[in-house]
Amino acid sequence: MYDLLYLVFAFPLAGFLVLAFARGRVGERLAAAIGVGSVGLSALLTAALAGQFLSHPPAGGAYTQTLWHWMSAGAFDVRFALRLDGLSLSMMGVITGVGFLIHLFAAWYMRGDEGYARFFSYMNLFVASMLFLVLGDSLLFLYLGWEGVGLCSYLLIGFWYKDPANGAAARKAFVVTRVGDTLFAIGLFLLFHSLGTLDIQQALSLAPQQFAPGSPTVTLITLLLLGGAVGKSAQLPLQTWLPDAMAGPTPVSALIHAATMVTAGVYLVARTHTLYELAPFSLHLVGGVGAVTLLLAGFSALVQTDIKRVLAYSTMSQIGYMFLAEGAGAFQPAIFHLMTHAFFKALLFLAAGAVILACHHEQDIFKMGGLRKKLPLAYACFLVGGGALAAFPYLTAGFYSKDEILWQAYASGHIGLFWAGLFGAFLTSIYTFRLIFIVFHGEYRGHGEVHAGHGLAYGLPLVVLLILSTFVGGMIHQPLSGVLPANPAEEGGALQQQVAALSGAVAIAGIALAGALFLGERRFVARLAQSAPGRWLSRWWFAAFGFDWLYDRLFVRPFLYVTRVNAADVFDLAVAGIATGLRALYRGSVRSENGRLRWYAASMAAGAVLVIAAVIYL
């Protein structure tokens, strides 16, 4: 069975190739069958591999499949090899399982779109690229998948390219993430220079021998890798692309936020954990970046009016939780939260897509309202998914993973990270149920009749994800022992129960406050929003603390100014000057060809005199 590992990414890659070369000549049913079926086959194979891995684990706890040698130049030798261990298996389960459900929902959601087959070709390539990333046995192979998901995000965010705003959002995502990718690439150069290999397992085994703890070289390498991670995972300071990425179709948002792109940075830090353990400063910075990002995103989500942007900022916040966990040394809880977050965030985005279509492509939450009776399945999905996002105690998957993160942060002595995570959980409860109460309660404020979705492709993904977002998803055990370090703190008995109770109380308090503020006529909130401090804070938070404004003035405008000043390009002028000189020489030589015999004789005599003078005097 392990010999079939390569088929996990080969199925969606084949689906991409078939749909891409078909160039729109296949019908919707066939395109959906290829696009959804290829990922479904990959998910089934992943389930079979998981069964064998858990029942008959490979020797050493990992299986490596070498397909071919990719490139070799002196000491630089890279294999095209796949590695299956507990971490990659966990990631494969999320990517193929949740990815399949998103593809199935997209078959219903995208029906009637002129780019139907093109959409599924991009989605298949997205899944294949993410599988490249998590299965790669070398950092170079990982980087290939890393760039692949970047390309696919550009293609999918700008899928409806006829709208200039969508193209601008796609370019923004591409450019901002390229900043992180460049730092990542430099880090790989430095790592190879220091260790002589990009093979992940060799690098992790050589690093403790080569680097002293806290050495400048390993600190610089990990900081550069962190630069790549914050770009892909939309963490401070490269977080600005993610809210604008909502320009793409809603299934794209679900795939980016739940199963693929934004989790890549979390995976990278976890996979290279040995390097970060040798660089305490970088590890502390990972936690600090996550804590600050989760708070900034939480405040921004409180005032958003677009249903998808609220969920986008919640993704930034939850990825911040994962970075916070890794900064506290709790790598296993970080990956656990990655999995549960995939369940409930995919559920929320797909349910949001159902709401958007039912309301005639309306995304403003203040033009909705009263949808709980008209869209009962979407309402149930938001209640369960929102409860998991808010970590409603004991009944939802999000509680178990978030509680483990808070406990590990507290018990390991990272008190600042603990309080940041706890306050972030409070904000999460408020903005999540603000969204639910405004969209599903009160009176309907939209235009036109609400049309609920129907069919297997609509209902099945929502129901499966709803179940996985309950305590059922929290009971899934990931085989991470031996791959990632043990948790920094052991089970804490009564103290851990107190932390769990505090976490649950904070979640319930946030939900109650959201109900008091946003159920009914919302008069207090309206008065607060109309006050001078309220207007100022609302604008500041709505603009996500002004990072776009800052970057526009620091980078975009100076670049545009330089392009205007240098419109003629001094280098082009230098090259053009050579051509101008040659043309002038040509015009001068043409004039000497006048057909006059005396002129030719005089020219020959003058030339002879000049040659003789040169011989005599030189």
Side-chain angles (χ1 to χ4, degrees), residues 534-547:
R535 287 197 301 271
W536 183 81
L537 281 176
S538 294
R539 286 196 299 269
W540 196 34
W541 292 350
F542 188 83
F545 293 83
F547 278 93

Side-chain angles (χ1 to χ4, degrees), residues 350-514:
L350 297 187
V355 170
I356 291 168
L357 283 191
C359 296
H360 310 283
H361 297 280
E362 180 60 65
Q363 295 185 201
D364 189 337
I365 61 175
F366 290 101
K367 295 181 181 179
M368 299 177 183
L371 298 179
R372 67 184 186 279
K373 294 181 180 179
K374 299 177 181 180
L375 301 173
L377 179 57
Y379 180 51
C381 292
F382 263 92
L383 282 179
V384 174
L389 177 58
F392 191 85
Y394 299 107
L395 297 180
T396 63
F399 170 76
Y400 293 94
S401 57
K402 192 176 292 186
D403 173 65
E404 185 65 24
I405 290 173
L406 292 175
W407 163 246
Q408 293 297 330
Y410 178 81
S412 61
H414 295 85
I415 305 302
L417 297 182
F418 168 76
W419 287 112
L422 199 63
F423 184 63
F426 181 65
L427 291 177
T428 302
S429 297
I430 298 174
Y431 70 67
T432 301
F433 279 84
R434 166 186 177 265
L435 171 66
I436 294 173
F437 293 146
I438 292 174
V439 171
F440 292 98
H441 292 260
E443 299 296 327
Y444 180 59
R445 297 174 293 276
H447 301 286
E449 186 178 351
V450 176
H451 300 287
H454 57 84
L456 186 66
Y458 166 77
L460 181 61
L462 295 178
V463 171
V464 173
L465 289 169
L466 185 149
I467 294 172
L468 291 174
S469 297
T470 65
F471 64 90
V472 174
M475 297 296 105
I476 297 176
H477 175 73
Q478 297 173 300
L480 299 176
S481 299
V483 184
L484 296 178
N487 292 333
E490 300 294 335
E491 297 295 324
L495 182 58
Q496 186 174 1
Q497 293 301 319
Q498 293 173 10
V499 171
L502 179 61
S503 172
V506 164
I508 294 173
I511 295 171
L513 180 59

